[in-house]
Amino acid sequence: LPGVGVNELLEFEGGVQVAAVEGPAAEAGLTDGDIILTINDTDVASPAQYAEIIGKLDRSRPAAVLVMRGEQSQWVTITPRK
């Protein structure tokens, strides 16, 4: 999606799996295969819901994103481009 850098998502139980990443998301440490669980305390259950959440983000503020990588969950901060 524009300004964030996650270009392709796959449905995944409990979140969405990142299939292509660049830009701010890559700079923040997201990698292909990460599973996005939460954005700014809102659970992400589908690519459509992800798009809705990203569309409502204040692009002047960083977003806190909870991802699952393998067996570990971790928070990353993505600062969208305006």
Side-chain angles (χ1 to χ4, degrees), residues 3-78:
V4 179
V6 176
N7 296 324
E8 186 178 344
L9 294 167
L10 304 173
E11 286 209 44
F12 191 88
E13 188 173 333
V16 291
Q17 186 174 24
V18 177
V21 64
E22 65 182 15
E27 292 163 15
L30 253 64
T31 62
D32 292 356
D34 284 350
I35 299 163
I36 298 173
L37 304 172
T38 304
I39 301 173
N40 288 345
D41 297 320
T42 302
D43 292 341
V44 179
S46 69
Q49 186 181 23
Y50 170 89
E52 181 180 335
I53 293 167
I54 293 298
K56 293 178 181 177
L57 282 180
D58 177 350
R59 297 217 184 265
S60 67
R61 306 186 79 188
V65 180
L66 179 62
V67 300
M68 180 70 75
R69 181 175 295 152
E71 300 290 318
Q72 302 268 335
S73 62
Q74 66 183 58
W75 287 96
V76 295
T77 301
I78 299 175

